[in-house]
């Protein structure tokens, strides 16, 4: 499988996606088998927007593969503060690295960057648009916890309007048979019409609810999200909406015994800490799977031979 860049899930076919997930699954079974495959390779991490998990996950993935990392943690530490264009930054960093992971606050920035990058470029999130490597993480987590990606009832709860992880995961799951979506949010944070149009075009069934309690008993997977303060223009609206739906043990009394609870993190109040000890909580496993799936993506983009007969 050969990929030039990974800016959106549409960059890869369904068969390529399944190959990538299979490779990630192999890594989960024995990460040490892959520990030196990227020796001598350099990952550049360009994060123009704050990040903890995504940036460290990429750096951990490369270092676990035996490679090294360099990069910036915010736009304030880059030459963009001097007026350098994103295109010039990308072309410069391409000279220093073998692959780039970039997060940017402007929607579509990853597409622009890929047009000028001379090494593979990975979209690590562009504004409120897409977050495709988080989607890979989510898919792997669902696959590992539910053993399938089809015939699932998946609930999305919280900020469905600005939540790029939600938008990306929905578009990925529509490629698998007989999935049904339950969209849970206050009216002000409902899923955008363009996502609904995609669901309609693919004849995907979905229902909407304002409260989690009404629908939790239906769900095989619950994808919780925080209400994102940084996406609001009005702080009063944020304060009014931020705690609309909170998952606690009382709410979970009505859920299936094999429910898988995911969250892209960071969380605020939307999942009570008491839920962490419930066996249905999968969001910290999700963090670990994020490292493994990014290891698989780096191996694929760098065209590293990872055949088992070449692994000591």
């Amino acid at each position: 499988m050969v990929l030039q860049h990974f800016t959106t899930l549409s960059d890869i076919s369904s068969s390529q996606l399944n190959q990538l997930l299979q490779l990630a699954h192999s890594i989960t079974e024995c990460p040490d088998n892959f520990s030196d495959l990227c020796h001598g390779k350099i990952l550049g991490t360009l994060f123009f927007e704050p990040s903890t998990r995504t940036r460290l996950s990429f750096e951990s993935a490369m270092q676990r593969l035996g490679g090294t990392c360099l990069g910036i943690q915010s736009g304030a530490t880059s030459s963009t503060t001097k007026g350098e264009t994103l295109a010039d930054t990308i072309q410069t960093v391409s000279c220093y690295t073998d692959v780039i992971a970039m997060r940017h606050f402007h929607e579509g920035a990853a597409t622009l960057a890929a047009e000028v990058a001379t090494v593979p470029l990975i979209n690590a999130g562009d504004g409120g648009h897409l977050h495709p490597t988080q989607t890979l993480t989510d898919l792997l987590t669902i696959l590992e916890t539910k053993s399938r990606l089809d015939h699932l009832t998946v609930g999305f709860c919280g900020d469905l309007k600005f939540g790029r992880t939600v938008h990306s995961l929905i578009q990925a799951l529509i490629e698998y048979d007989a999935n049904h979506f339950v969209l849970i949010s206050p009216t002000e944070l409902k899923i955008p019409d363009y996502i609904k149009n995609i669901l309609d075009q693919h004849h995907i069934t979905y229902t909407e609810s304002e409260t989690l309690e009404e629908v939790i008993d239906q769900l095989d997977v619950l994808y919780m999200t925080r209400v994102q303060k940084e996406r609001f223009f009005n702080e009063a609206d944020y304060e009014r909406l931020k705690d609309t739906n909170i998952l606690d043990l009382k709410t979970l009394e009505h859920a299936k015994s094999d429910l898988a609870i995911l969250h892209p993190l960071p969380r605020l109040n939307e999942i009570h800490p008491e839920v962490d000890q419930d066996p249905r909580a999968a969001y910290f496993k999700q963090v670990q799977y994020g490292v493994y799936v990014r290891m698989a993506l780096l191996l694929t983009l760098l065209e590293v031979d990872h055949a088992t007969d070449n692994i000591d």
Side-chain angles (χ1 to χ4, degrees), residues 2 9 31 42 52 68 79 149 165 186 193 204 207 219 226 280 304:
V2 177
L9 279 173
I42 300 174
T52 300
T68 56
S79 289
L149 291 171
T165 60
D193 287 341
I204 305 297
T207 57
L219 308 179
R226 69 185 172 95
R280 291 168 287 189
V304 174

Side-chain angles (χ1 to χ4, degrees), residues 47-48 72-86 89 104-105:
F47 279 69
F48 297 94
I72 61 170
Q73 298 184 27
S74 73
T77 61
S78 78
S79 289
T80 57
T81 60
K82 303 175 184 177
E84 182 175 62
T85 65
L86 177 61
T89 298
H104 203 280
F105 45 85

Side-chain angles (χ1 to χ4, degrees), residues 127-195:
H129 188 213
L130 296 174
H131 194 351
T133 64
Q134 180 65 50
T135 304
L136 294 179
T137 299
D138 300 339
L139 290 173
L140 181 63
T141 305
I142 294 171
L143 188 60
E144 295 292 326
T145 56
K146 303 299 294 183
S147 301
R148 68 186 191 277
L149 291 171
D150 55 14
H151 295 83
L152 293 167
T153 297
V154 183
F156 294 91
C157 182
D159 181 359
L160 309 190
K161 180 178 181 180
F162 300 110
R164 59 191 171 196
T165 60
V166 170
H167 303 168
S168 292
L169 183 55
I170 286 176
Q171 292 181 74
L173 286 173
I174 63 177
E175 299 298 327
Y176 296 89
D177 292 338
N179 286 325
H180 172 74
F181 300 130
V182 181
L183 309 174
I184 309 154
S185 69
T187 300
E188 295 90 339
L189 295 176
K190 281 189 174 182
I191 204 82
D193 287 341
Y194 88 91
I195 295 292

Side-chain angles (χ1 to χ4, degrees), residues 33 37 305-312:
N33 282 350
L37 295 185
D305 186 357
H306 50 77
T308 55
D309 58 358
N310 290 329
I311 299 174
D312 294 332

